[in-house]
Amino acid sequence: MKAAITATAKYLPDTVLTNHDLEQMLDTSDDWIKSRTGISERRILRDPEKPTSYMCGEVAKQLLEKRHIDAGEIDLIIVATMTPDMMFPSTACVTQSIIGAVNAWAFDLNAACSGFVYALNTAARFIESGAHKKVMVIGADKMSSILDFTDRNTAILFGDGAAGVIIEPAEEEGFGILDARLYSDGLNGKEHLYMLAGGSRYPASHETVDKKMHYIRQDGRQVFKSAVISMADVAEEIMKRNNLQADDVAYLVPHQANQRIINATAERMGVDHSKVMSNVAKYGNTTAGTIPICLAELDEQQKLQKGSNLILVSFGAGYTWGGIYVKWQ
Ligand code: UT7
């Protein structure tokens, strides 16, 4: 028995932060940002009283509405995030409380930008085993809460956003989440993209705040090189394992970090530009949110037909990366 996606939903905050806004705050330019990343603007959840769980709650409510089910029918909630409301309890438990999913168990999963593909694959196992009937998987990050808006290396890249899916047993054989390959490489990855403080290694102190250790830091060039290779490799691997030719792919749904990485992945797969989902220009990198936001947009635009082959691919801190093959039901 395979797991299939039966509902999608997204939440993007209303406040738009454009490249021109960033020009007023940083030594950067709209031209530089667009040409190096493809990003024009991103969304910011301005209200400090609204944490990541607020966006998860908005997504979860829409998912229930779209699927016409009560919260009590949800068996499990997984929230992929690296910007949880707090260290504990989990943002998944907070989300459970927002919607009143009294019969669910809930946990967070942190695989940074690969969080959604890790979570979707984890969730699929609970459906395939017959343990659960309805699982909610949400990818959400309030990246503005860990961005240093004086650091042009990172501030221009990220945005806030969330989206998710419900998965259930597929109605027919041969449909749903058909394959997944997930990877980690802490040996080569952990030094290049991180937030040092706030955990047990560097608990919060005046020093950690003064040294700006509660912000994301990235060696962009290193991450770029690894992302291009790993996303293209895993996309190719998924195609080979499932005997898919470029023409068989309805949509490549890549993590939205940089248009140049997206293009390189599509090129290696031989997939035409028109089949590559991209919204990085509008939202920047929303970390665990990017792939489900893409799925929700494709679904809203009614671009997904029964039998459409989708390849989801991600890359993020850790390093973590992976690919998932979905045949839409
Ligand atoms: O989602 C998790 C995974 N993350 C990613 O996939 C991000 C991967 N990395 C990237 O997307 C790119 O490396 C960046 C967009 C972060 C940077 O692009 P780049 O082409 O690798 O630029 P660079 O870091 O090599 O910098 C080129 C130049 C430097 O100046 P010099 O040394 O050539 O004089 C930088 O100081 O551009 C300068 N620069 C900027 N200039 C204007 C760096 N950031 C900016 C900026 N505005 N925001």
Side-chain angles (χ1 to χ4, degrees):
M1 191 204 314
K2 295 292 184 187
I5 295 172
T6 56
T8 65
K10 70 177 201 301
Y11 174 83
L12 275 311
D14 293 334
T15 303
V16 175
L17 186 70
T18 66
N19 291 349
H20 296 294
D21 296 329
L22 287 169
E23 281 175 345
Q24 311 304 311
M25 302 155 67
L26 291 162
D27 177 17
T28 190
S29 69
D30 178 49
D31 272 357
W32 191 97
I33 301 172
K34 271 193 197 146
S35 63
R36 300 288 177 125
T37 70
I39 300 168
S40 296
E41 57 188 45
R42 68 289 290 143
R43 302 297 179 92
I44 302 292
L45 187 59
R46 278 239 184 272
D47 188 339
E49 305 214 334
K50 288 184 176 161
T52 298
S53 65
Y54 172 78
M55 299 192 288
C56 295
E58 293 301 300
V59 169
K61 285 184 241 170
Q62 288 180 61
L63 286 171
L64 296 174
E65 232 174 83
K66 288 189 175 181
R67 189 68 190 96
H68 307 292
I69 56 172
D70 290 332
E73 291 182 55
I74 300 296
D75 301 307
L76 165 64
I77 301 170
I78 309 180
V79 172
T81 187
M82 60 177 221
T83 50
D85 290 15
M86 49 200 142
M87 292 290 281
F88 64 89
S90 70
T91 301
C93 283
V94 181
T95 305
Q96 174 190 26
S97 78
I98 293 171
I99 57 170
V102 288
N103 297 312
W105 60 296
F107 66 91
D108 285 1
L109 185 155
N110 181 353
C113 295
S114 301
F116 183 78
V117 295
Y118 269 47
L120 186 62
N121 189 42
T122 304
R125 297 287 95 81
F126 288 97
I127 299 290
E128 288 168 6
S129 68
H132 293 321
K133 293 275 177 262
K134 289 182 174 61
V135 181
M136 201 177 255
V137 184
I138 297 174
D141 273 298
K142 184 173 177 176
M143 294 304 292
S144 62
S145 67
I146 59 165
L147 281 181
D148 175 0
F149 280 100
T150 65
D151 175 14
R152 69 178 184 174
N153 291 309
T154 51
I156 58 141
L157 298 172
F158 297 93
D160 301 338
V165 299
I166 291 176
I167 62 166
E168 300 178 56
E171 284 165 8
E172 267 177 69
E173 210 175 305
F175 290 85
I177 297 164
L178 298 185
D179 194 22
R181 297 296 295 156
L182 298 173
Y183 295 97
S184 304
D185 181 4
L187 287 77
N188 292 302
K190 68 182 192 311
E191 310 290 335
H192 300 303
L193 181 50
Y194 53 83
M195 187 178 88
L196 279 176
S200 57
R201 184 169 170 194
Y202 297 106
S205 66
H206 286 294
E207 194 192 353
T208 61
V209 172
D210 291 345
K211 290 185 171 169
K212 298 187 164 194
M213 290 163 72
H214 297 270
Y215 292 128
I216 188 168
R217 300 216 188 126
Q218 173 173 238
D219 176 350
R221 244 177 257 193
Q222 279 298 332
V223 177
F224 184 92
K225 278 191 234 158
S226 302
V228 166
I229 295 167
S230 304
M231 281 186 38
D233 280 354
V234 78
E236 202 174 34
E237 186 188 2
I238 290 275
M239 286 176 77
K240 279 201 180 128
R241 281 165 57 91
N242 296 284
N243 296 317
L244 292 169
Q245 307 302 314
D247 283 348
D248 302 325
V249 177
Y251 285 102
L252 165 67
V253 185
H255 171 52
Q256 308 283 307
N258 186 318
Q259 189 61 45
R260 290 186 291 148
I261 301 175
I262 296 172
N263 294 346
T265 307
E267 206 167 294
R268 173 93 82 83
M269 293 167 72
V271 167
D272 188 71
H273 172 77
S274 61
K275 294 176 167 187
V276 181
M277 182 60 196
S278 175
N279 54 25
V280 70
K282 291 189 291 186
Y283 307 134
N285 181 350
T286 55
T287 303
T290 61
I291 290 179
I293 291 172
C294 287
L295 285 175
E297 288 200 335
L298 284 171
D299 200 12
E300 273 164 22
Q301 295 160 10
Q302 299 184 325
K303 288 184 171 164
L304 303 174
Q305 266 96 47
K306 184 168 180 178
S308 295
N309 289 317
L310 309 181
I311 297 185
L312 324 181
V313 282
S314 70
F315 184 86
Y319 296 131
T320 54
W321 69 101
I324 294 189
Y325 168 34
V326 179
K327 190 182 274 289
W328 200 255
Q329 88 166 12

